[in-house]
Amino acid sequence: MYDFVTGPLLWISFAIFFVGCIARIVWYIKGLNWQMDRVAYMYHKSYGFKGALRSLFLWLFPFATRSWRKKPAMTLLFFTFHIGVLVTPIFLLAHNMILKERWGFSLWTLPETTADILTIAVIVSAVFLVLRRIALPEVRILTSAYDYLLIAITVAPFITGFVASHEPGHYQFWLILHILCGEIMLIAIPFTKLSHLVLFFCSRVQLGMDYGIKRGGMKGKGLAW
């Protein structure tokens, strides 16, 4: 079973993840109405490029934007959760051992204590995100069972991985369950709201370009809206 979930099933999961994410990016770009703003984009590319970079940079760092500063507690919760979700799986020692074993390469790895702290941070942050959806009426009204399912899919690999690394008596069971949960998350990303993993960058680039062009490049050129 271990050989199957770390071999063929892992290959399938990564294939669906990468192909699906590429497809989502292509659909996103094709869905934009380039014709409507073709003149602005054609003559003010430099403003659009600067706006895109500025948008990405500011939204990737906590408190760099007014929106982040308005809700500091939510900002810290948001960044703690997402940093842990992204950093821990990529640089976890055990994951890189599998990379080395299966595909012949590995990345820099986190100390085990740091990985444990990040894992716990993800789990605790997820609990607070769920409580926030339950407690705040303006968030609760927009929340469905689907949203809770996505949180569960995201957090399950961290819970099972943490248990596997600290429960030697049932290690094989929890390890296989952990790998299966991770593969379910990889497969789910392109087909659910979890696709914001890649679409976040697309939307920030688009909004940054629009803002840069319409607020910068079009000033004083007879094209201001």
Side-chain angles (χ1 to χ4, degrees):
M1 184 66 173
Y2 174 80
D3 290 336
F4 174 69
V5 298
T6 60
L9 191 56
L10 187 60
W11 276 101
I12 293 170
S13 301
F14 273 118
I16 294 173
F17 169 75
F18 284 114
V19 173
C21 286
I22 292 170
R24 289 301 297 261
I25 293 171
V26 171
W27 290 335
Y28 182 93
I29 295 173
K30 288 181 68 175
L32 298 176
N33 193 347
W34 295 103
Q35 293 301 313
M36 181 179 293
D37 294 323
R38 63 187 181 280
V39 175
Y41 279 93
M42 183 181 299
Y43 291 103
H44 304 291
K45 292 178 182 178
S46 62
Y47 288 99
F49 182 70
K50 292 176 184 176
L53 288 180
R54 176 179 172 81
S55 178
L56 273 177
F57 179 81
L58 291 178
W59 281 86
L60 284 175
F61 292 93
F63 308 114
T65 70
R66 185 179 304 161
S67 297
W68 289 140
R69 292 191 292 269
K70 283 175 64 177
K71 297 181 178 180
M74 181 58 194
T75 297
L76 288 174
L77 188 65
F78 177 90
F79 275 90
T80 298
F81 180 77
H82 284 84
I83 289 172
V85 166
L86 291 173
V87 171
T88 310
I90 295 173
F91 300 110
L92 190 70
L93 175 61
H95 291 180
N96 279 277
M97 289 174 64
I98 294 176
L99 280 178
K100 187 69 175 178
E101 175 187 337
R102 298 293 179 179
W103 296 330
F105 75 95
S106 64
L107 306 173
W108 173 84
T109 59
L110 292 167
E112 290 189 15
T113 302
T114 303
D116 281 349
I117 292 172
L118 287 172
T119 300
I120 293 171
V122 168
I123 297 169
V124 172
S125 298
V127 170
F128 276 102
L129 287 172
V130 169
L131 292 176
R132 173 178 174 270
R133 288 182 175 274
I134 296 172
L136 299 181
E138 66 272 22
V139 182
R140 184 170 63 246
I141 197 172
L142 299 174
T143 301
S144 65
Y146 170 73
D147 297 295
Y148 293 119
L149 176 61
L150 292 183
I151 293 175
I153 289 174
T154 304
V155 178
F158 293 87
I159 296 174
T160 53
F162 188 81
V163 174
S165 63
H166 294 83
E167 180 56 56
H170 302 85
Y171 175 74
Q172 192 71 12
F173 167 79
W174 285 105
L175 176 62
I176 292 173
L177 183 60
H178 165 65
I179 297 170
L180 287 172
C181 288
E183 290 166 347
I184 289 171
M185 184 174 74
L186 285 174
I187 293 170
I189 286 173
F191 304 104
T192 66
K193 290 181 181 179
L194 296 178
S195 60
H196 75 269
L197 173 70
V198 291
L199 295 184
F200 163 82
F201 297 95
C202 296
S203 62
R204 290 320 312 172
V205 166
Q206 178 204 352
L207 292 172
M209 288 181 70
D210 285 345
Y211 187 87
I213 289 171
K214 296 172 183 176
R215 300 286 182 172
M218 300 175 77
K219 287 182 179 179
K221 299 181 182 294
L223 294 171
W225 287 18

